[in-house]
Amino acid sequence: MPVPDLVALGALPRPFGPALVANPCAEGESVCNTVFDQTNNDTLARYSDVLIGKPLALMGLLLLAVTLRWLVHKVIDRIVRRAAHGVLPDRVALGASQRRSQRAEAMGSLLKSIVTGLLVAVFGTMMLSEIGVDIAPIIASAGIVGLALGFGAQSLVKDFLSGVFMIIEDQYGVGDDVDLGEAIGTVEAVTLRMTRLRDVNGTVWYVPNGQIVRVGNQSQNWARTVLDVSVAYHEDLARVRRVLSEVAHDLWEDDDFKGQVIEEPSVWGVQDLGVDGVTVRVVLKTTPGEQWAVAREMRQRIKNRFDYEGIEKPFPQRVVWQREEPVRRRPDDVEGGA
């Protein structure tokens, strides 16, 4: 009598079947798990994760990085466009606006480079981790490098950070006349590490950005010509103020200086009562870098107008006392005369 097939009848489980194959997929491998659930084939599941899952994950990370970079760059471009339009008087020369636009673009380029570097570092590390590279040594190495830079290159790091903030804050740019403490002159180059400027004598100064503790910029937005004019004490101060106001107004109306003097000049009045004369102050608002040329022209016109009006400039006045010592006679002269 034949023995019934208990396995076929379902009384016993199959010793080798799809349900007894172990799941080869690791936790989180969605593609591998999906393929294994559908086919119950461990080899196909493993290769599907390598051929489909990993590339899809890498493409997703790359797409996310590119999208974030595009969005942040759009925000930076919008900020740069707003920074390029400053609130300046109508008579400011076009060169000042162009220089401001160039500084804003330089700031935007720097910010974009920083954002791109951060995204490449972060998403590059994530992509290496996705393909199975152990990123723990990379992170540890980055920490060691950062620590070494912090201790061994403190001055260099300080120079770079100071340069970044100088550019972001638009403290000065190429062509500006600045006072950096030890060095005073015109800026010829600005980098993240140092600033190069040339003084009035032609000397070139190289100043590390980390050593700049304060900046006096004489070329930002607008400047001012301040002239202190001295006259003799016996002059009529009301007349002097009227003459100075007329001279300054004539310069303001001069076509040759319409792009340099940007507001109606003002005579502030008596500034000082000196030993030899009275000092009257007159001021003119000018475009950046033109205050010295305007001052020289004003001095020449004031001198010519004072000569025409007969206004006397002060001159040093001193009272000299001459003391005469009595002539002392010797005793021999006294006896001989007696």
Side-chain angles (χ1 to χ4, degrees), residues 114-294:
I114 294 175
V115 169
T116 302
L118 289 177
L119 291 177
V120 168
V122 173
F123 282 90
T125 305
M126 295 174 63
M127 294 173 71
L128 290 176
S129 176
E130 188 66 31
I131 62 178
V133 177
D134 187 8
I135 62 173
I138 299 177
I139 297 176
S141 300
I144 294 174
V145 171
L147 189 63
L149 287 175
F151 282 99
Q154 296 183 20
S155 60
L156 184 62
V157 174
K158 183 179 179 182
D159 292 341
F160 273 91
L161 290 178
S162 300
V164 168
F165 282 107
M166 285 179 183
I167 295 177
I168 292 177
E169 296 171 359
D170 192 19
Q171 297 181 9
Y172 55 84
V174 176
D176 288 351
D177 296 295
V178 297
D179 181 354
L180 303 182
E182 292 286 337
I184 302 174
T186 303
V187 178
E188 291 188 341
V190 180
T191 65
L192 292 180
R193 194 187 69 84
M194 67 90 189
T195 297
R196 186 180 80 229
L197 68 158
R198 189 180 299 271
D199 64 15
V200 68
N201 297 317
T203 304
V204 178
W205 295 82
Y206 296 88
V207 184
N209 293 330
Q211 297 183 9
I212 300 175
V213 296
R214 56 123 175 124
V215 178
N217 194 331
Q218 298 174 324
S219 304
Q220 207 164 45
N221 295 340
W222 56 271
R224 175 174 284 159
T225 296
V226 180
L227 293 177
D228 289 333
V229 182
S230 298
V231 296
Y233 267 102
H234 64 267
E235 294 293 342
D236 184 1
L237 293 181
R239 176 168 171 258
V240 171
R241 293 190 59 175
R242 177 179 56 79
V243 170
L244 291 176
S245 179
E246 292 175 357
V247 173
H249 184 78
D250 290 342
L251 185 66
W252 154 260
E253 295 291 342
D254 194 333
D255 293 336
D256 295 336
F257 291 89
K258 281 189 177 296
Q260 300 179 22
V261 183
I262 59 179
E263 283 188 6
E264 178 74 28
S266 175
V267 179
W268 286 1
V270 177
Q271 181 68 22
D272 185 31
L273 299 175
V275 176
D276 302 318
V278 181
T279 301
V280 182
R281 174 163 291 184
V282 55
V283 295
L284 302 91
K285 196 172 184 179
T286 69
T287 53
E290 299 295 335
Q291 59 267 36
W292 299 288
V294 172

Side-chain angles (χ1 to χ4, degrees), residues 89-109:
D90 295 336
R91 294 179 63 156
V92 175
L94 181 60
S97 300
Q98 293 176 345
R99 185 165 63 247
R100 182 183 182 89
S101 177
Q102 291 172 358
R103 293 174 187 167
E105 291 176 359
M107 179 182 66
S109 177

